[in-house]
Amino acid sequence: MKILVVGGGGREHAIIRSLKKNPEVSEIWCAPGNGGISYDAKCKAIKATDVEAMVAFAKEEAFDYVVVAQDDPLALGMVDRLAEIGIPAFGPDAKAARIESSKVFSKNLMKKYNIPTAEYEVFDNAKEASLYIKERGKYPVVVKADGLALGKGVLICEDEASALLAVKEIMEDLKFGGAGAKVVIEEFLTGPEVSVLSFTDGKVVKPLISSMDHKRALDGDEGLNTGGMGTVAPNPYYTPEVAKECMDKIFLPTIRAMADEGCPFHGCLYFGLMLTPDGPKVIEYNCRFGDPETQVVLPLLESDLLTIMLATTNETLDSAEVILSDKSAACVILASGGYPLSYEKGKEISGLTNGQLADASAIVYHAGDTLSDGVLKTSGGRVIGVTAVAGDLKTALSKAYEAGDQISFEKMYRRSDIGARALKALN
Ligand code: AMP
Ligand code: GLY
């Protein structure tokens, strides 16, 4: 089988390494890919959002299957366009991808089908949104841009002034472009956060191991929000009782709701949950694998990834095995100093042989680098994710940190407390 993976970060690298375990995979490509990924897949420099060019490339190369891993090409209908030319693809069509690409759609879906989530109101007018904030008068309050905003469209506002400013920036200054034509204003929830990535074929849902992201840039969950500085799996707060409650009250109702709305979801549905004192609630849905959750969750999947992916496309997930390891995994992100604000690029990365550690003590997933003349150089904010697997989380974490010590580039930055909260919860 000849496969194309669309995207170019650590998540796509993890997907590629898992797919390659299947002996049926004869050729694997990644577009656009990155320097480190090119050790594992042929890379083609096409932007993930360039739907026309990607579809033309898929046709020209006659791929048997395309995995669309990134949110924006899904929202732009890449899976629909591939279907039109007879190429099956992993991921939802544009209609189903609205579960991530429109917060108004997902919040209204949850309200209609009684799926637990934060209380909210929707506004398409800045004046009315501001009036509502003032009348409500409760802080913190959460202001969310409706559309995709590179994970930056959620603002937690501690007081009236910052909430009004958030509305102005999103709706009037159009800080996130068209994504800010509407806003969701919602209740602030508290509790541990859990990510659950799950496979679904529109009828059946099979979750992967739960995980915990670390979104803030600095130790102690301080500093700015990032795309994720590290992950651990399983998430200790996600007990079997919580898992059952989530399955009954959130996962199954969501899958049914999407089918009832005429947009059954195929692919990986990511449930971003908060375990509040009133039970688990949905913070957000993503229509794809999370990054860097995938980098801990896929190494703990014992069944064959390609077989499961094809089953989500062919609606045969019921009979596909999804066997999960009972081990733990940790991923520590090595970032460019300054990320998520400005940072320098082009720094030579040392410590790797053909993109991996010589002692293979951990897996190196490449997120933002280039390769030329055999030299890897940084090209992004998140550069590398180092994942280690072990019988327990403490060992996985020390292995990931020790492996990270072997890699270096100028101004490399990583958090030093990934997994600390999870370890505390285990004790
Ligand atoms: P999102 O981009 O929707 O994942 O939101 C980013 C982060 O904002 C989440 O991971 C939460 O930590 C936080 N967040 C979003 N919505 C709420 C809420 N209603 N209450 C508290 N925190 C929230
Ligand atoms: N790690 C969060 C996300 O992928 O959206």
Side-chain angles (χ1 to χ4, degrees):
M1 249 186 141
K2 188 170 167 184
I3 298 181
L4 169 66
V5 176
V6 175
R11 164 185 54 206
E12 287 74 14
H13 198 187
I15 291 171
I16 286 165
R17 286 183 70 97
S18 285
L19 287 173
K20 282 180 75 175
K21 290 184 193 158
N22 184 316
E24 305 268 308
V25 176
S26 52
E27 206 176 319
I28 193 153
W29 286 73
C30 189
N34 66 40
I37 289 178
S38 68
Y39 289 110
D40 284 306
K42 291 186 192 171
C43 292
K44 175 79 180 175
I46 298 173
K47 266 171 69 179
T49 47
D50 191 342
V51 177
E52 290 316 311
M54 197 67 77
V55 171
F57 175 62
K59 192 173 173 186
E60 185 186 305
E61 285 288 332
F63 286 104
D64 298 302
Y65 195 52
V66 178
V67 176
V68 185
Q70 212 172 293
D71 50 6
D72 27 18
L74 290 166
L76 290 169
M78 191 178 282
V79 169
D80 314 53
R81 292 281 290 108
L82 288 164
E84 282 165 23
I85 58 162
I87 299 182
F90 178 81
D93 58 18
K95 244 179 126 184
R98 286 178 303 165
I99 200 164
E100 173 171 3
S101 65
S102 167
K103 294 212 190 278
V104 173
F105 172 82
S106 68
K107 292 296 289 190
N108 289 344
L109 184 87
M110 289 185 268
K111 190 185 261 180
K112 180 167 171 190
Y113 292 90
N114 275 319
I115 297 165
T117 189
E119 282 179 26
Y120 72 101
E121 294 290 334
V122 175
F123 297 93
D124 59 8
N125 171 308
K127 247 198 193 121
E128 283 169 22
S130 304
L131 198 62
Y132 172 75
I133 287 169
K134 286 186 197 160
E135 279 174 3
R136 187 175 176 273
K138 260 204 273 175
Y139 303 94
V141 64
V142 185
V143 181
K144 300 185 170 182
D146 174 42
L148 295 177
L150 295 169
K152 296 186 182 122
V154 173
L155 298 157
I156 295 173
C157 307
E158 300 293 338
D159 51 37
E160 183 179 299
S162 57
L164 297 180
L165 182 64
V167 168
K168 178 180 175 297
E169 285 180 344
I170 295 175
M171 302 192 83
E172 289 178 352
D173 306 344
L174 296 177
K175 195 172 170 185
F176 308 112
K182 290 183 187 167
V183 289
V184 171
I185 297 182
E186 72 176 32
E187 169 199 15
F188 177 74
L189 299 176
T190 54
E193 285 187 58
V194 181
S195 308
V196 180
L197 283 57
S198 64
F199 292 108
T200 173
D201 63 354
K203 298 177 291 189
V204 173
V205 60
K206 297 199 174 178
L208 284 149
I209 286 178
S210 63
S211 54
M212 184 191 285
D213 194 4
H214 297 69
K215 285 204 170 111
R216 300 295 199 94
L218 308 176
D219 283 4
D221 295 322
E222 304 275 344
L224 294 171
N225 252 327
T226 70
M229 295 300 295
T231 37
V232 296
N235 185 318
Y237 293 102
Y238 195 71
T239 61
E241 295 74 40
V242 173
K244 171 144 194 354
E245 194 177 353
C246 289
M247 180 54 85
D248 295 343
K249 294 189 180 158
I250 295 175
F251 304 166
L252 288 170
T254 301
I255 301 305
R256 286 191 208 116
M258 290 297 279
D260 286 355
E261 291 297 306
C263 47
F265 190 100
H266 300 86
C268 175
L269 183 53
Y270 168 128
F271 297 91
L273 307 168
M274 195 172 268
L275 309 183
T276 77
D278 302 325
K281 295 191 180 181
V282 177
I283 287 283
E284 61 160 349
Y285 295 110
N286 289 327
C287 67
R288 45 154 180 101
F289 285 99
D291 189 340
E293 284 90 343
T294 306
Q295 290 91 311
V296 286
V297 157
L298 285 187
L300 298 177
L301 172 66
E302 290 185 348
S303 307
D304 177 57
L305 178 63
L306 178 60
T307 308
I308 301 169
M309 285 184 158
L310 290 169
T312 67
T313 308
N314 301 331
E315 302 188 350
T316 52
L317 188 61
D318 201 16
S319 55
E321 262 186 349
V322 180
I323 299 175
L324 308 176
S325 162
D326 57 8
K327 292 187 175 158
S328 296
C331 175
V332 178
I333 299 293
L334 310 180
S336 300
Y339 172 76
L341 299 173
S342 66
Y343 52 82
E344 291 168 32
K345 299 181 187 177
K347 307 292 182 195
E348 192 170 328
I349 302 169
S350 63
L352 300 172
T353 311
N354 294 332
Q356 293 296 319
L357 291 163
D359 65 6
S361 55
I363 318 166
V364 176
Y365 293 124
H366 293 259
D369 57 19
T370 57
L371 179 67
S372 79
D373 299 327
V375 179
L376 280 170
K377 289 188 178 166
T378 65
S379 65
R382 293 188 295 172
V383 178
I384 277 170
V386 184
T387 294
V389 175
D392 61 87
L393 180 59
K394 196 161 179 255
T395 313
L397 280 164
S398 48
K399 275 174 73 179
Y401 272 106
E402 275 163 32
D405 287 341
Q406 299 182 49
I407 304 169
S408 64
F409 51 87
E410 208 184 306
K411 299 195 179 154
M412 181 176 106
Y413 169 74
R414 62 181 173 179
R415 268 182 68 164
S416 68
D417 66 343
I418 300 302
R421 212 152 19 93
L423 283 180
K424 226 169 156 183
L426 284 170
N427 290 323

